[in-house]
């Protein structure tokens, strides 16, 4: 019984995966390209950085980078807490 | 501590890895990479030295408290630079195209790149790079200490 349930689940999940793979949007032509066009056309002029990715990460989406830095800080704090007993 | 071969190769490679990491941090606004990636490269250099020489030797070269101070400087610098532009918005790039520090306007289109451009992005790259290299370095140091302590017990 358990085997059949697992088999059915596997078939359903792989069916969904195959369906999405067949139905996937072609690579390199996004559905909504307003933001892409804006960044590509204006990032060099507004931020004056050659690397458009960095200008997005640190300027347009700076708040997201702050969150990433906080995640790293939290990870370091967690490791320090785990090993605190050993160091003492 | 590992064999003499590993230590010799580490002595040769270590400075190159550090210079490459700092290069990636410094040129984050021109070439692929940035603070996170360069900091990870520098931290991998720290991990290489730690593996080659063992914790007991490295302990006297790098202290965990120094790395914590460096990480705090990076985090506070990042938030401080973000707050400096609060006259317009949080994270406003107030140095770009201003003619001052890192204020040269860049050429539109494909160009080799000028280090003196893009406003606060290099400063933020340095802040994040310091933070990441100190954070990952202290994690690696702590884990090496934990492994050594676990072997003893």
């Amino acid at each position: 019984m358990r085997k059949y349930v697992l088999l059915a689940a596997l078939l359903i999940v792989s069916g969904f995966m195959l369906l999405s793979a067949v139905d996937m949007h072609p690579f390199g032509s996004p559905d909504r390209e307003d933001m892409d066009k804006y960044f590509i056309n204006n990032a060099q002029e507004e931020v004056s950085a050659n690397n458009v990715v960095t200008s997005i990460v640190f300027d347009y989406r700076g708040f997201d980078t702050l969150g990433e830095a906080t995640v790293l800080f939290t990870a370091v704090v967690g490791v320090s807490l785990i090993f605190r007993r050993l160091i003492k | 501590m590992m064999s003499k071969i590993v230590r010799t190769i580490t002595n040769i490679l270590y400075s190159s890895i550090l210079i490459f990491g700092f290069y990636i941090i410094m040129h984050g606004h021109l070439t692929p990479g940035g603070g996170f990636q360069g900091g990870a490269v520098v931290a991998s250099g720290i991990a290489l030295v730690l593996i080659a020489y063992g914790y007991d030797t490295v302990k006297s070269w790098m202290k965990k408290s120094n790395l914590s101070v460096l990480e705090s400087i990076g985090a506070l610098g990042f938030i401080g630079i973000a707050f400096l532009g609060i006259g317009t918005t949080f994270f406003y790039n107030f140095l770009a195209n201003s003619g001052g520090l890192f204020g040269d306007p860049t050429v539109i289109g494909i160009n080799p790149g000028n280090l003196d451009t893009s406003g606060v992005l290099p400063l933020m790259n340095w802040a994040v790079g310091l933070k990441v290299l100190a954070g990952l370095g202290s994690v690696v140091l702590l884990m090496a200490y934990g492994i050594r302590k676990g072997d003893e017990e």
Side-chain angles (χ1 to χ4, degrees):
Chain A
M1 182 63 200
R2 188 183 158 85
K3 200 187 266 179
Y4 291 117
V5 171
L6 283 177
L7 195 67
L10 180 70
L11 281 179
I12 289 169
V13 170
S14 49
F16 272 117
M17 291 277 183
L18 282 175
L19 201 69
S20 61
V22 169
D23 208 28
M24 198 163 61
H25 214 76
F27 185 75
S29 57
D31 208 14
R32 310 277 308 175
E33 52 185 17
D34 313 348
M35 298 295 283
D36 313 10
K37 284 274 185 294
Y38 181 82
F39 286 141
I40 291 169
N41 291 330
N42 296 320
Q44 259 192 328
E45 192 186 340
E46 284 181 0
V47 192
S48 84
N50 269 344
N51 192 347
V52 178
V53 176
T54 303
S55 69
I56 291 171
V57 165
F58 283 100
D59 193 295
Y60 294 111
R61 301 280 181 269
F63 216 73
D64 182 56
T65 308
L66 182 63
E68 275 180 50
T70 316
V71 166
L72 185 81
F73 183 74
T74 316
V76 174
V77 167
V79 172
S80 309
L81 271 177
I82 289 173
F83 287 102
R84 183 188 51 170
R85 273 185 151 176
L86 290 174
I87 278 172
K88 202 169 154 191
Chain B
M1 189 179 289
M2 290 189 84
S3 67
K4 189 155 187 141
I5 300 170
V6 178
R7 274 180 282 146
T8 309
I9 298 293
T10 303
N11 287 343
I12 297 169
L13 277 182
Y14 182 56
S15 53
S16 319
I17 292 175
L18 281 197
I19 289 169
F20 182 63
F22 284 124
Y23 158 80
I24 285 183
I25 295 176
M26 195 166 173
H27 289 246
H29 56 296
L30 300 177
T31 53
F36 282 99
Q37 293 86 349
V41 170
V42 175
S44 75
I46 294 176
L48 176 69
V49 169
L50 201 60
I51 287 171
Y53 280 92
Y55 180 80
D56 293 319
T57 321
V58 175
K59 191 173 60 175
S60 55
W61 302 342
M62 289 179 271
K63 285 216 176 60
K64 206 251 156 201
S65 51
N66 294 355
L67 287 177
S68 298
V69 168
L70 214 58
E71 187 184 9
S72 306
I73 287 173
L76 288 178
F78 186 63
I79 299 176
I81 293 165
F83 263 115
L84 280 180
I86 203 136
T88 313
T89 49
F90 198 50
F91 276 104
Y92 179 67
N93 196 341
F94 63 98
L95 282 175
N97 299 322
S98 68
L101 181 70
F102 295 118
D104 285 1
T106 193
V107 186
I108 308 297
I110 298 169
N111 59 330
N114 175 9
L115 198 63
D116 195 20
T117 54
S118 67
V120 298
L121 295 199
L123 302 174
M124 280 185 172
N125 266 323
W126 272 108
V128 168
L130 271 184
K131 186 174 159 42
V132 170
L133 85 87
L136 292 183
S138 58
V139 164
V140 172
L141 268 179
L142 279 168
M143 285 189 168
Y145 188 78
I147 288 170
R148 201 197 62 137
K149 207 72 174 169
D151 284 344
E152 279 176 5
E153 285 167 2

